[in-house]
Amino acid sequence: MTTDTNPITPARVTAYETLGGAPGVRQLVSRFYALMDELPEAYAVRCLHPESLQGSAQSLFEFLSGWLGGPPLYSEKKGHPRLRMRHSPYAIGPRVRDEWMLCMTQALTEQVADEAFRAQLIQAFAQTAHHLLNTQGGGACPAGHAGQHAPAWASLPGRSSAPETSSTTQDQDPP
């Protein structure tokens, strides 16, 4: 007669835990938005965001917390993420997607030393970013928004910001 031994296996470690929990996810989000503000190559995606990135950063942190296997902060606060619906007011074309991915890839490269884990994260983010495409256009700042909030790099010597236009306030922060 054999006895069935059920060894206790360690719980699966989540991407959230591997990134360092809430502090690691906050660091990733912070660096992501800093890059969006600094990189000239991210101008079109930066134009989709309000001048202050605080609300966007908080929303992305809350979303990523649950998406990466940690506490479902975004869902608890706002319900199902419904990413396509929540991003539908914004023209997200290939250029905006690629600029978003440029910032996220760079932030991940700086933070995640494990190449295989980083590649998995980049692939997952790329699939999600591709899913949010809602136009083939979206290559420039939306009408009425260009120059509304010049990114940090625009004030560097030898750089100029987009021409001033009338500013409008956006009601929602895209994550």
Side-chain angles (χ1 to χ4, degrees):
M1 182 166 148
T2 57
T3 59
D4 186 15
T5 58
N6 187 6
I8 298 173
T9 56
R12 185 172 175 220
V13 177
T14 65
Y16 178 83
E17 293 166 322
T18 303
L19 280 171
V25 175
R26 278 208 188 277
Q27 178 184 342
L28 178 67
V29 169
S30 177
R31 184 61 181 141
F32 167 78
Y33 279 112
L35 288 164
M36 186 183 291
D37 218 17
E38 295 167 7
L39 296 175
E41 301 92 339
Y43 186 69
V45 72
R46 178 60 178 96
C47 286
L48 294 180
H49 292 77
E51 184 172 349
S52 170
L53 294 171
Q54 278 187 312
S56 298
Q58 184 62 29
S59 289
L60 183 59
F61 166 74
E62 292 169 357
F63 170 74
L64 289 181
S65 176
W67 190 71
L68 294 166
L73 305 174
Y74 189 94
S75 296
E76 289 172 352
K77 190 174 182 180
K78 298 180 182 178
H80 190 283
R82 302 177 198 199
L83 292 179
R84 285 185 60 90
M85 181 197 76
R86 293 186 196 271
H87 287 80
S88 65
Y90 310 99
I92 301 174
R95 178 177 174 187
V96 168
R97 176 205 56 206
D98 293 349
E99 290 179 10
W100 193 97
M101 281 303 302
L102 172 73
C103 297
M104 184 54 73
T105 299
Q106 181 63 36
L108 287 166
T109 299
E110 292 175 13
Q111 183 172 334
V112 179
D114 181 318
E115 291 181 28
F117 178 55
R118 183 174 63 237
Q120 288 177 325
L121 288 173
I122 290 170
Q123 179 63 32
F125 278 116
Q127 288 174 348
T128 303
H130 184 75
H131 177 70
L132 295 179
L133 288 174
N134 59 21
T135 182
Q136 287 303 309
C141 291
H145 293 278
Q148 175 181 338
H149 40 75
W153 56 262
S155 63
L156 295 174
R159 304 251 187 222
S160 61
S161 61
E164 289 296 323
T165 61
S166 62
S167 64
T168 58
T169 304
Q170 290 177 307
D171 294 331
Q172 296 178 331
D173 296 334

